C-alpha cells in the first residue's frame, strides 16, 4: 500500500516506520492517523516482521502533536471522533503483539508523546523535548495521554506535565521513567538498530507473552494478574521456541527462534 504521510523500510525482520511530514514537524492529521493504523495492521499480521521501530522524518521532530490547523476547524463531535481515532490507533500499537520501539529523535509533544507512550520501549535523543502542551491551546490530551502518563510515571508527574504544558528534557524524562534509554543524536539510530536486532532474534511468542502479562495483568488485581502470568507461562511450554531455547542453553549453543 502507498502512503502519503509515512515511509516504511524493512531491514531484515525489523520494520522502520517514519511519520513523514517534516515540514509540519510530523504533526498527526486524520490522514496520518489512518495511515498509521493501516500500516500497523499490515505489519502486525506479517510474520516476517518481528520488531517495529517508529520514528519521525527530518532532523527536528518525532511528532510535534496532533495537527493544530486541522483541529482548529473541528466541531465538538468531530473533536470527539478525532480523539477516538487517535485512541484506537494507540491501543492497536500497544496491543499489536510485537515490540514497537519509539525512536524519539526530537520533539515528542502532545499526540507525539501519546504515540510514543503507546510503544513498548521509548529511546530518545539527548536533545529531545517531551511534553503534553495541550492546555496552552485550551485543550487536554486526547489520544490517551492523561491515562498512559499516569500509568507510566505516576499521578504527580502526570499532573505536572499535563497541567503546566511545559516540555521536559530527555534527561528529566529518563529520571521519570517516561523514556528508558537515551543516546546522543548521532548514536541514536545505531543504538536503536542494535536493540531492535536483539529483540528480533528473541522468541516472538515469549515477547508477546511478556507484553500481554504486563499490559493486561497490570490493569487487574494482583491475584488475577498472577494467574494470567501462570497461564501465559504454561502456554510457553507448548511452543517449539521454548524447547529450542532451553535445549540450546543446555547444549551451550545459540538458539535460532522460529516464532512457533
Ligand atoms: N500541528 C500542526 N502544525 C504544526 C504542529 C502541530 N502540532 N507543530 C508544528 N507545526 C508546523 C508549524 O505550524 C510550522 O508550519 P509552517 O512552516 O507551515 O508555519 C512547522 O510545523 C514548523 O514549526 P515551527 O513552529 O515553525 O517550528 P519551531 O522550531 O519554531 O517550533 C515547536 C517547534 C514544536 C516548539 C512548535 O512547532 C510547537 O509548539 N508546535 C506545537 C506543539 C503542540 O502544541 N503540540 C500539541 C498539539 S495538541
Amino acid at each position: 500500500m502507498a502512503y502519503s504521510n509515512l515511509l516504511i523500510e524493512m531491514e531484515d525482520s525489523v520494520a522502520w516506520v517514519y511519520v513523514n511530514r517534516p515540514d509540519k514537524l510530523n504533526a498527526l492529521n486524520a490522514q496520518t492517523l489512518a495511515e498509521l493504523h493501516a500500516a500497523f495492521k499490515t505489519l502486525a499480521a506479517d510474520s516476517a516482521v518481528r520488531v517495529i521501530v517508529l520514528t519521525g522524518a527530518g532532523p527536528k521532530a518525532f511528532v510535534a502533536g496532533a495537527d493544530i490547523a486541522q483541529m482548529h476547524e473541528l466541531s465538538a463531535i468531530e473533536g470527539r471522533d478525532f480523539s477516538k481515532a487517535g485512541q484506537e490507533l494507540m491501543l492497536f500499537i500497544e496491543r499489536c503483539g510485537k515490540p514497537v520501539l519509539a525512536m524519539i529523535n526530537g520533539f515528542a509533544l502532545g499526540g507525539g508523546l501519546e504515540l510514543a507512550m503507546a510503544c513498548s520501549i521509548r529511546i530518545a535523543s539527548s536533545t529531545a523535548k517531551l511534553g503534553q502542551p495541550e492546555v496552552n491551546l485550551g485543550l487536554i490530551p486526547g489520544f490517551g495521554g492523561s491515562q498512559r502518563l499516569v500509568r507510566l510515571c505516576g499521578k504527580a508527574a502526570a499532573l505536572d506535565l499535563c497541567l503546566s504544558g511545559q516540555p521536559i528534557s530527555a534527561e528529566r524524562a529518563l529520571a521519570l521513567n517516561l523514556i528508558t534509554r537515551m543516546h546522543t543524536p548521532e548514536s541514536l539510530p545505531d543504538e536503536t538498530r542494535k536493540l531492535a536486532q536483539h529483540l528480533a532474534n528473541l522468541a516472538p511468542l515469549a515477547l508477546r507473552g511478556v507484553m500481554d502479562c504486563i499490559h493486561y495483568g497490570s490493569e487487574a488485581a494482583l491475584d488475577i494478574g498472577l494467574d494470567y502470568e501462570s497461564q501465559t507461562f504454561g502456554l510457553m511450554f507448548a511452543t517449539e521456541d521454548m524447547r529450542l531455547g532451553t535445549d540450546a542453553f543446555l547444549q551451550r549453543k545459540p538458539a535460532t527462534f522460529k516464532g512457533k
Side-chain angles (χ1 to χ4, degrees), residues 30-78:
Q31 167 84 12
T32 310
L33 289 182
E35 289 189 8
L36 277 168
H37 211 141
F40 269 87
K41 275 189 180 157
T42 304
L43 296 171
D46 183 347
S47 60
V49 175
R50 291 213 176 166
V51 176
I52 301 164
V53 177
L54 179 58
T55 191
K60 276 180 77 171
F62 174 72
V63 166
D67 191 308
I68 299 168
Q70 197 170 59
M71 286 193 294
H72 183 253
E73 306 304 324
L74 300 182
S75 68
I77 298 298
E78 288 166 340

Side-chain angles (χ1 to χ4, degrees), residues 209-258:
V210 166
M211 290 187 290
D212 282 351
C213 284
I214 290 176
H215 287 312
Y216 296 113
S218 65
E219 297 297 328
L222 181 63
D223 57 345
I224 306 284
L226 289 173
D227 187 61
Y228 190 77
E229 183 188 75
S230 296
Q231 303 297 342
T232 310
F233 183 77
L235 199 60
M236 295 299 127
F237 290 73
T239 67
E240 271 185 53
D241 280 350
M242 180 270 178
R243 302 293 160 195
L244 273 171
T246 49
D247 196 49
F249 177 84
L250 294 171
Q251 294 193 39
R252 297 185 179 275
K253 61 177 193 189
T256 306
F257 292 110
K258 295 180 176 173

